[in-house]
Coordinates of all heavy atoms in Angstrom, one line a residue:
M20 N 9.0 52.0 8.2 CA 7.8 51.3 8.3 C 6.9 51.5 9.5 O 7.4 51.4 10.6 CB 8.1 49.8 8.1 CG 6.9 48.9 7.8 SD 7.3 47.2 7.6 CE 5.8 46.4 8.1
E21 N 5.7 51.9 9.2 CA 4.8 52.2 10.4 C 4.3 50.9 11.0 O 3.9 50.0 10.5 CB 3.6 53.0 9.9 CG 3.0 54.0 11.0 CD 1.9 54.8 10.4 OE1 2.3 55.7 9.6 OE2 0.8 54.6 10.7
E22 N 4.4 51.0 12.3 CA 4.0 49.8 13.2 C 2.5 49.8 13.2 O 1.8 50.7 13.4 CB 4.5 50.0 14.6 CG 6.0 49.6 14.6 CD 6.4 48.7 15.8 OE1 5.5 48.4 16.7 OE2 7.4 48.1 15.7
E23 N 2.0 48.6 13.1 CA 0.6 48.3 13.2 C 0.2 48.6 14.6 O 0.7 48.0 15.5 CB 0.4 46.9 12.8 CG -1.2 46.5 12.8 CD -1.4 45.0 12.8 OE1 -0.5 44.2 12.8 OE2 -2.6 44.6 12.8
R24 N -0.8 49.4 14.7 CA -1.4 49.6 16.1 C -2.9 49.1 16.3 O -3.7 49.3 15.5 CB -1.5 51.2 16.3 CG -0.2 51.8 16.1 CD -0.2 53.3 16.8 NE -0.2 53.0 18.2 CZ -0.4 54.1 19.1 NH1 -0.7 55.3 18.7 NH2 -0.4 53.9 20.4
K25 N -2.8 48.3 17.2 CA -4.1 47.5 17.5 C -4.7 48.1 18.8 O -4.1 48.5 19.7 CB -3.8 46.0 17.7 CG -3.3 45.4 16.4 CD -3.5 43.9 16.3 CE -2.5 43.2 17.1 NZ -2.7 41.7 17.1
K26 N -6.1 48.0 18.8 CA -6.8 48.5 19.9 C -7.4 47.4 20.6 O -7.8 46.4 20.2 CB -7.9 49.3 19.5 CG -7.5 50.8 19.2 CD -8.7 51.6 18.9 CE -8.3 53.1 18.7 NZ -9.4 54.0 18.5
C27 N -7.4 47.4 22.0 CA -8.0 46.5 22.9 C -9.5 46.4 22.6 O -10.1 47.5 22.5 CB -7.7 46.7 24.3 SG -8.6 45.8 25.5
L28 N -10.0 45.2 22.4 CA -11.5 45.2 22.2 C -12.3 45.4 23.4 O -13.6 45.5 23.3 CB -11.8 43.8 21.5 CG -11.2 43.4 20.2 CD1 -11.7 42.1 19.7 CD2 -11.5 44.5 19.2
I29 N -11.7 45.5 24.5 CA -12.5 45.6 25.8 C -12.5 47.1 26.1 O -13.6 47.7 26.4 CB -11.9 44.8 26.9 CG1 -12.0 43.3 26.6 CG2 -12.6 45.1 28.3 CD1 -11.3 42.3 27.5
C30 N -11.3 47.8 26.3 CA -11.2 49.1 26.8 C -11.1 50.2 25.5 O -11.1 51.3 25.8 CB -10.2 49.3 27.8 SG -8.5 49.2 27.0
N31 N -10.8 49.6 24.4 CA -10.7 50.5 23.2 C -9.4 51.4 23.2 O -9.5 52.4 22.6 CB -12.0 51.2 22.9 CG -12.1 51.6 21.4 OD1 -11.6 50.8 20.6 ND2 -12.6 52.7 21.0
K32 N -8.5 51.0 24.1 CA -7.2 51.8 24.0 C -6.2 50.9 23.3 O -6.3 49.8 23.1 CB -6.8 52.0 25.5 CG -7.6 53.0 26.2 CD -7.1 53.2 27.6 CE -8.2 54.1 28.4 NZ -8.0 53.8 29.8
F33 N -5.2 51.7 22.9 CA -4.2 51.0 22.1 C -3.3 50.0 22.8 O -3.1 50.3 24.1 CB -3.1 52.0 21.6 CG -3.8 52.8 20.3 CD1 -3.9 54.1 20.4 CD2 -4.0 52.1 19.1 CE1 -4.6 54.8 19.3 CE2 -4.5 52.8 18.0 CZ -4.7 54.1 18.1
L34 N -3.2 48.9 22.3 CA -2.4 47.9 22.9 C -0.9 48.4 22.9 O -0.4 48.9 21.9 CB -2.5 46.5 22.2 CG -3.9 45.9 22.2 CD1 -3.8 44.6 21.5 CD2 -4.2 45.4 23.7
R35 N -0.2 48.2 23.9 CA 1.2 48.5 23.9 C 2.0 47.3 23.6 O 1.8 46.3 24.0 CB 1.6 49.0 25.3 CG 1.5 50.4 25.5 CD 1.6 50.8 26.9 NE 0.6 50.2 27.8 CZ 0.7 50.1 29.1 NH1 1.6 50.5 29.7 NH2 -0.2 49.4 29.8
K36 N 3.0 47.5 22.5 CA 3.7 46.4 22.2 C 5.0 46.5 22.9 O 6.1 47.1 22.5 CB 4.0 46.6 20.7 CG 4.3 45.4 19.9 CD 4.4 45.8 18.4 CE 4.4 44.5 17.6 NZ 4.2 44.8 16.3
L37 N 5.0 45.9 24.2 CA 6.2 46.0 25.0 C 7.3 45.0 24.4 O 8.4 45.3 24.3 CB 5.8 45.7 26.4 CG 4.9 46.7 27.0 CD1 4.5 46.3 28.5 CD2 5.5 48.1 27.2
T38 N 6.8 43.8 24.3 CA 7.7 42.9 23.8 C 7.0 42.1 22.6 O 5.9 41.8 22.8 CB 8.2 41.9 24.8 OG1 6.9 41.4 25.5 CG2 9.1 42.4 25.9
K39 N 7.7 41.9 21.7 CA 7.1 41.2 20.5 C 7.1 39.6 20.9 O 8.3 39.0 20.9 CB 7.9 41.4 19.2 CG 7.3 40.6 18.1 CD 7.1 41.4 16.8 CE 6.7 40.4 15.8 NZ 5.5 41.0 15.1
T40 N 6.0 39.2 21.2 CA 5.9 37.7 21.4 C 5.1 37.1 20.2 O 4.6 37.7 19.4 CB 5.3 37.4 22.8 OG1 3.9 38.2 22.8 CG2 6.0 38.0 23.9
D41 N 5.3 35.7 20.3 CA 4.7 34.9 19.3 C 3.1 35.1 19.3 O 2.5 34.9 18.1 CB 5.0 33.4 19.5 CG 6.4 33.1 19.2 OD1 7.0 34.0 18.6 OD2 6.9 32.1 19.7
D42 N 2.5 35.4 20.3 CA 1.0 35.5 20.3 C 0.6 37.0 19.8 O -0.6 37.2 19.9 CB 0.5 35.1 21.7 CG 0.8 36.2 22.7 OD1 1.8 37.0 22.6 OD2 0.0 36.3 23.7
W43 N 1.5 37.8 19.5 CA 1.1 39.2 19.3 C 0.0 39.3 18.2 O -0.9 40.0 18.3 CB 2.3 40.0 18.9 CG 1.9 41.4 18.3 CD1 1.9 41.8 17.1 CD2 1.4 42.5 19.1 NE1 1.4 43.1 17.0 CE2 1.0 43.5 18.2 CE3 1.1 42.6 20.5 CZ2 0.4 44.7 18.7 CZ3 0.5 43.9 20.9 CH2 0.1 44.9 20.0
D44 N 0.3 38.6 17.1 CA -0.6 38.6 15.9 C -2.2 38.2 16.3 O -3.0 38.8 15.7 CB -0.3 37.7 14.9 CG 1.1 38.2 14.2 OD1 1.3 39.4 14.3 OD2 1.9 37.4 13.7
S45 N -2.2 37.5 17.3 CA -3.6 37.1 17.6 C -4.2 37.8 19.0 O -5.2 37.6 19.3 CB -3.7 35.6 17.9 OG -2.9 35.2 18.9
R46 N -3.2 38.6 19.5 CA -3.7 39.3 20.7 C -4.7 40.5 20.5 O -4.3 41.3 19.6 CB -2.4 39.8 21.5 CG -2.9 40.0 23.0 CD -1.7 40.7 23.7 NE -0.6 39.8 23.7 CZ 0.7 40.3 23.9 NH1 0.8 41.5 24.3 NH2 1.7 39.4 24.0
V47 N -5.7 40.5 21.2 CA -6.6 41.7 20.9 C -7.1 42.3 22.2 O -8.0 43.2 22.2 CB -7.8 41.3 20.0 CG1 -7.6 41.1 18.5 CG2 -8.5 40.0 20.5
Y48 N -6.5 41.8 23.3 CA -6.9 42.3 24.5 C -5.7 42.7 25.3 O -4.7 42.1 25.2 CB -7.8 41.5 25.5 CG -8.9 40.7 24.8 CD1 -9.0 39.5 24.5 CD2 -10.1 41.6 24.3 CE1 -10.2 38.9 23.9 CE2 -11.1 41.0 23.8 CZ -11.2 39.6 23.5 OH -12.2 39.1 22.9
H49 N -5.9 43.7 26.3 CA -4.9 43.8 27.3 C -5.0 42.6 28.2 O -6.1 42.2 28.5 CB -5.1 45.0 28.1 CG -4.9 46.3 27.4 ND1 -5.8 47.3 27.1 CD2 -3.8 46.9 26.8 CE1 -5.3 48.3 26.5 NE2 -4.1 48.1 26.2
I50 N -3.9 42.3 28.8 CA -3.9 41.1 29.7 C -4.8 41.5 30.9 O -5.6 40.7 31.3 CB -2.5 40.6 30.0 CG1 -1.9 39.9 28.8 CG2 -2.5 39.6 31.2 CD1 -0.4 39.8 28.9
T51 N -4.5 42.7 31.3 CA -5.4 43.1 32.5 C -6.9 43.2 32.2 O -7.7 42.8 33.0 CB -4.9 44.6 33.1 OG1 -3.8 45.0 32.3 CG2 -4.5 44.5 34.5
C52 N -7.2 43.7 31.1 CA -8.5 43.9 30.7 C -9.1 42.5 30.6 O -10.3 42.2 31.0 CB -8.7 44.5 29.4 SG -8.4 46.3 29.5
W53 N -8.4 41.6 30.0 CA -8.9 40.2 29.9 C -9.2 39.5 31.2 O -10.3 39.0 31.4 CB -7.9 39.4 29.1 CG -8.3 37.9 29.0 CD1 -7.8 36.8 29.5 CD2 -9.4 37.4 28.2 NE1 -8.3 35.7 29.3 CE2 -9.4 36.0 28.4 CE3 -10.3 38.0 27.4 CZ2 -10.3 35.1 27.8 CZ3 -11.3 37.2 26.7 CH2 -11.3 35.8 26.9
R54 N -8.3 39.8 32.2 CA -8.4 39.2 33.6 C -9.6 39.7 34.1 O -10.4 39.0 34.9 CB -7.2 39.4 34.3 CG -6.1 38.5 33.9 CD -5.1 38.3 35.0 NE -3.8 37.6 34.6 CZ -2.6 38.0 34.5 NH1 -2.3 39.2 35.0 NH2 -1.7 37.3 34.1
T55 N -9.9 41.1 34.0 CA -11.0 41.7 34.6 C -12.4 41.2 34.1 O -13.3 41.0 34.7 CB -11.0 43.3 34.3 OG1 -9.6 43.7 34.7 CG2 -12.1 44.0 35.1
L56 N -12.3 40.9 32.8 CA -13.5 40.4 32.0 C -13.9 39.0 32.6 O -14.9 38.7 32.9 CB -13.1 40.2 30.5 CG -14.3 39.8 29.7 CD1 -15.3 41.0 29.6 CD2 -13.9 39.4 28.3
I57 N -12.7 38.2 32.9 CA -13.0 36.9 33.3 C -13.7 37.0 34.7 O -14.6 36.2 35.0 CB -11.7 36.1 33.4 CG1 -11.0 35.9 32.1 CG2 -11.9 34.7 34.2 CD1 -11.9 35.1 31.0
M58 N -13.1 38.0 35.6 CA -13.7 38.1 36.9 C -15.1 38.5 36.9 O -15.9 38.1 37.6 CB -12.8 39.1 37.6 CG -11.5 38.7 37.9 SD -11.2 37.2 38.9 CE -11.7 37.8 40.5
D59 N -15.5 39.5 35.9 CA -16.6 40.0 35.7 C -17.7 38.9 35.2 O -18.9 39.0 35.7 CB -16.7 41.1 34.7 CG -16.1 42.4 35.2 OD1 -15.9 42.4 36.5 OD2 -16.0 43.3 34.5
I60 N -17.3 38.0 34.5 CA -18.1 37.0 34.0 C -18.7 36.1 35.1 O -19.9 35.7 35.0 CB -17.4 36.1 32.9 CG1 -17.4 36.8 31.7 CG2 -18.2 34.8 32.7 CD1 -16.3 36.1 30.6
K61 N -18.0 36.0 36.2 CA -18.5 35.2 37.3 C -19.7 35.9 37.9 O -20.5 35.2 38.5 CB -17.3 35.0 38.4 CG -16.2 34.1 37.9 CD -15.2 34.2 39.0 CE -14.0 33.2 38.5 NZ -12.8 33.4 39.4
H62 N -19.8 37.1 38.0 CA -21.0 37.7 38.6 C -21.7 38.6 37.4 O -22.2 39.7 37.7 CB -20.7 38.5 39.8 CG -19.5 39.5 39.7 ND1 -19.3 40.5 40.6 CD2 -18.6 39.5 38.7 CE1 -18.3 41.2 40.2 NE2 -17.7 40.7 39.1
Y63 N -21.7 38.1 36.2 CA -22.2 38.9 35.1 C -23.6 39.2 35.3 O -24.1 40.3 34.9 CB -21.9 38.2 33.9 CG -22.3 39.0 32.6 CD1 -21.4 40.1 32.2 CD2 -23.4 38.9 31.9 CE1 -21.7 40.9 31.1 CE2 -23.7 39.8 30.8 CZ -22.9 40.8 30.4 OH -23.1 41.6 29.4
D64 N -24.4 38.3 35.8 CA -25.9 38.5 36.0 C -26.1 39.8 36.9 O -27.2 40.4 36.8 CB -26.5 37.3 36.6 CG -25.9 36.9 38.0 OD1 -24.6 37.0 38.1 OD2 -26.6 36.5 38.8
K65 N -25.2 40.1 37.8 CA -25.5 41.3 38.7 C -24.9 42.6 38.1 O -25.5 43.6 38.3 CB -24.7 41.0 40.0 CG -25.3 39.9 40.8 CD -24.7 39.7 42.2 CE -25.1 38.4 42.8 NZ -24.5 37.3 42.2
I66 N -23.8 42.6 37.4 CA -23.2 43.8 36.8 C -23.7 44.1 35.4 O -23.3 45.2 35.0 CB -21.7 43.8 37.0 CG1 -21.1 42.7 36.2 CG2 -21.3 43.7 38.5 CD1 -19.6 42.7 36.0
A67 N -24.2 43.1 34.7 CA -24.6 43.4 33.3 C -25.3 44.7 33.2 O -25.1 45.5 32.2 CB -25.3 42.3 32.7
Y68 N -26.3 45.0 34.0 CA -27.1 46.1 33.8 C -26.5 47.4 34.4 O -26.9 48.5 34.0 CB -28.5 45.9 34.6 CG -29.1 44.6 34.2 CD1 -29.2 43.5 35.0 CD2 -29.6 44.5 32.9 CE1 -29.8 42.3 34.6 CE2 -30.3 43.4 32.5 CZ -30.4 42.3 33.4 OH -31.0 41.1 33.0
T69 N -25.5 47.4 35.2 CA -24.9 48.5 35.8 C -23.5 48.8 35.0 O -23.5 49.9 34.4 CB -24.5 48.3 37.3 OG1 -23.8 47.1 37.5 CG2 -25.8 48.2 38.0
K70 N -22.7 47.9 34.9 CA -21.4 48.2 34.4 C -21.4 48.1 32.8 O -20.8 49.0 32.3 CB -20.5 47.1 35.0 CG -19.0 47.4 34.4 CD -17.9 46.5 35.2 CE -16.6 46.7 34.6 NZ -15.6 45.9 35.2
Y71 N -22.1 47.2 32.3 CA -22.1 47.0 30.9 C -23.2 47.7 30.1 O -23.4 47.7 28.9 CB -22.0 45.5 30.5 CG -20.6 44.9 30.9 CD1 -20.5 44.2 32.0 CD2 -19.5 45.3 30.1 CE1 -19.2 43.7 32.3 CE2 -18.3 44.8 30.4 CZ -18.2 44.1 31.6 OH -16.9 43.6 32.0
G72 N -24.1 48.3 30.9 CA -25.2 49.1 30.3 C -26.2 48.2 29.5 O -26.9 48.6 28.6
C73 N -26.3 47.0 29.9 CA -27.4 46.1 29.2 C -28.8 46.4 29.7 O -28.9 47.0 30.8 CB -27.1 44.6 29.6 SG -25.7 44.0 28.9
K74 N -29.7 46.4 28.8 CA -31.0 46.7 29.2 C -31.9 45.6 29.3 O -31.7 44.6 28.6 CB -31.7 47.7 28.0 CG -30.8 48.9 27.8 CD -31.2 50.1 28.7 CE -30.5 51.3 28.3 NZ -30.2 52.2 29.4
R75 N -32.7 45.6 30.4 CA -33.7 44.6 30.5 C -34.8 44.8 29.4 O -35.4 45.9 29.4 CB -34.3 44.6 31.9 CG -33.4 44.2 33.0 CD -34.1 44.4 34.3 NE -33.1 44.6 35.4 CZ -32.7 43.7 36.2 NH1 -33.2 42.5 36.0 NH2 -31.7 43.9 37.1
V76 N -35.0 43.9 28.7 CA -36.0 44.1 27.6 C -37.3 43.1 27.9 O -37.2 41.9 28.1 CB -35.5 43.7 26.2 CG1 -36.6 43.7 25.2 CG2 -34.4 44.6 25.8
I77 N -38.4 43.8 28.2 CA -39.5 43.1 28.5 C -40.6 43.5 27.4 O -40.9 44.6 27.2 CB -40.2 43.6 29.8 CG1 -39.0 43.5 30.9 CG2 -41.4 42.9 30.2 CD1 -39.4 44.3 32.2
D78 N -41.1 42.4 26.7 CA -42.1 42.6 25.8 C -41.6 43.6 24.7 O -42.4 44.4 24.1 CB -43.4 43.1 26.4 CG -44.7 42.9 25.5 OD1 -44.6 42.0 24.7 OD2 -45.6 43.4 25.8
G79 N -40.4 43.4 24.3 CA -39.9 44.1 23.2 C -39.5 45.6 23.5 O -38.9 46.4 22.6
K80 N -39.7 46.0 24.7 CA -39.2 47.4 25.2 C -38.3 47.3 26.3 O -38.5 46.3 27.1 CB -40.5 48.2 25.6 CG -41.4 48.6 24.5 CD -42.5 49.5 25.1 CE -43.5 49.9 24.0 NZ -44.6 50.6 24.7
T81 N -37.5 48.2 26.4 CA -36.6 48.3 27.7 C -37.4 48.8 28.8 O -38.5 49.4 28.6 CB -35.5 49.3 27.5 OG1 -35.9 50.6 27.3 CG2 -34.5 48.8 26.2
L82 N -36.9 48.7 30.0 CA -37.7 49.1 31.1 C -37.9 50.6 31.1 O -38.9 51.2 31.6 CB -36.7 48.7 32.4 CG -37.4 48.6 33.8 CD1 -38.5 47.5 33.6 CD2 -36.4 48.2 34.8
E83 N -36.8 51.3 30.7 CA -36.9 52.9 30.5 C -38.1 53.2 29.6 O -38.8 54.1 29.9 CB -35.7 53.4 30.0 CG -34.6 53.5 31.1 CD -33.9 52.1 31.3 OE1 -34.1 51.2 30.5 OE2 -33.3 51.9 32.3
E84 N -38.3 52.4 28.6 CA -39.3 52.7 27.6 C -40.7 52.5 28.2 O -41.7 53.2 27.9 CB -39.2 51.9 26.4 CG -38.0 52.4 25.4 CD -37.6 51.5 24.3 OE1 -37.9 50.3 24.4 OE2 -37.1 52.0 23.2
H85 N -40.7 51.5 29.0 CA -42.0 51.2 29.8 C -42.3 52.2 30.7 O -43.6 52.6 30.7 CB -41.9 49.8 30.5 CG -42.2 48.6 29.6 ND1 -43.4 48.3 29.0 CD2 -41.3 47.6 29.2 CE1 -43.3 47.2 28.4 NE2 -42.1 46.8 28.5
K86 N -41.4 52.7 31.4 CA -41.6 53.8 32.4 C -42.1 55.0 31.7 O -43.0 55.8 32.2 CB -40.3 54.0 33.2 CG -40.1 53.0 34.3 CD -38.7 53.3 35.0 CE -38.5 52.2 36.0 NZ -37.2 52.4 36.5
A87 N -41.5 55.3 30.5 CA -41.8 56.6 29.8 C -43.3 56.5 29.2 O -44.0 57.4 28.9 CB -40.8 56.8 28.7
S88 N -43.6 55.3 28.9 CA -44.9 55.0 28.3 C -46.0 55.0 29.3 O -45.8 54.7 30.5 CB -44.9 53.6 27.6 OG -46.2 53.2 27.3
S89 N -47.2 55.5 28.9 CA -48.4 55.6 29.8 C -49.2 54.4 29.7 O -50.1 54.2 30.4 CB -49.1 56.9 29.4 OG -49.6 56.8 28.1
E90 N -48.8 53.5 28.7 CA -49.7 52.3 28.5 C -49.4 51.4 29.7 O -48.3 51.2 30.4 CB -49.0 51.5 27.3 CG -49.5 52.1 26.0 CD -48.9 51.3 24.8 OE1 -48.8 50.1 24.9 OE2 -48.4 52.1 23.9
P91 N -50.5 50.8 30.2 CA -50.4 50.0 31.5 C -49.8 48.6 31.0 O -49.9 48.3 29.9 CB -51.9 49.8 31.9 CG -52.6 50.0 30.7 CD -51.9 51.1 29.8
W92 N -49.2 48.0 32.0 CA -48.7 46.7 31.8 C -49.8 45.7 31.8 O -50.7 45.8 32.6 CB -47.7 46.3 32.9 CG -46.3 47.1 32.8 CD1 -46.2 48.3 32.6 CD2 -45.1 46.5 33.1 NE1 -44.9 48.7 32.7 CE2 -44.2 47.6 32.9 CE3 -44.6 45.3 33.5 CZ2 -42.8 47.5 33.1 CZ3 -43.2 45.1 33.6 CH2 -42.3 46.1 33.4
V93 N -49.7 44.9 30.8 CA -50.7 43.8 30.8 C -50.0 42.4 31.1 O -49.0 42.1 30.4 CB -51.4 43.7 29.4 CG1 -52.3 42.6 29.3 CG2 -52.0 45.0 29.0
V94 N -50.4 41.9 32.2 CA -49.7 40.6 32.5 C -50.7 39.5 32.1 O -51.8 39.5 32.8 CB -49.3 40.6 34.0 CG1 -48.6 39.2 34.3 CG2 -48.4 41.8 34.3
N95 N -50.3 38.5 31.5 CA -51.3 37.3 31.2 C -50.8 36.2 31.9 O -49.5 35.9 31.9 CB -51.2 37.1 29.6 CG -51.8 38.2 28.8 OD1 -52.9 38.7 29.1 ND2 -51.1 38.8 27.8
F96 N -51.6 35.5 32.4 CA -51.4 34.2 33.0 C -51.9 33.1 32.2 O -53.1 33.0 32.0 CB -52.0 34.1 34.5 CG -51.4 35.1 35.4 CD1 -52.1 36.3 35.6 CD2 -50.2 34.8 36.0 CE1 -51.5 37.4 36.5 CE2 -49.7 35.8 36.9 CZ -50.3 37.0 37.1
D97 N -51.1 32.3 31.7 CA -51.5 31.2 30.7 C -51.6 30.0 31.5 O -50.9 29.8 32.4 CB -50.5 31.1 29.6 CG -50.5 32.3 28.8 OD1 -51.5 33.0 28.5 OD2 -49.3 32.7 28.2
Ligands
ZN112 ZN1 -7.7 47.1 27.3

């Protein structure tokens, strides 16, 4: 019978089944990956754009799209 192979939802590598514990069925992360994620959340506002590749979206476009566009920025003061 083939063992079920699960992938970590954070790093996308296979989880190693070192010991079969009760929480195996619900486990979807490496413990180390999970801990790293928790640490990252604390300073997520700083690393979101660098580490996780989040894009700043301004007026429906990313910053890169704004730079590539020749349209001037229009700032409205309401
Ligand atoms: Zn992982």
Side-chain angles (χ1 to χ4, degrees):
M20 186 178 156
E21 206 172 290
E22 288 228 340
E23 183 195 0
R24 301 200 71 190
K25 294 204 282 188
K26 278 184 175 179
C27 171
L28 295 183
I29 298 170
C30 70
N31 207 33
K32 289 176 186 160
F33 285 113
L34 295 174
R35 274 168 297 166
K36 204 173 194 173
L37 296 175
T38 49
K39 174 134 181 131
T40 53
D41 290 340
D42 70 332
W43 171 254
D44 289 334
S45 60
R46 195 188 303 165
V47 284
Y48 307 116
H49 291 118
I50 291 164
T51 358
C52 289
W53 176 249
R54 285 199 187 123
T55 309
L56 187 76
I57 297 297
M58 295 300 285
D59 283 353
I60 284 168
K61 289 180 183 170
H62 53 163
Y63 190 74
D64 57 318
K65 294 185 188 70
I66 61 164
Y68 304 109
T69 53
K70 184 171 177 181
Y71 290 102
C73 292
K74 302 278 185 210
R75 290 173 206 263
V76 177
I77 304 159
D78 202 16
K80 287 182 184 175
T81 64
L82 207 56
E83 285 74 16
E84 287 169 333
H85 276 296
K86 282 176 184 168
S88 165
S89 56
E90 286 174 43
W92 286 42
V93 180
V94 182
N95 294 309
F96 296 96
D97 295 323

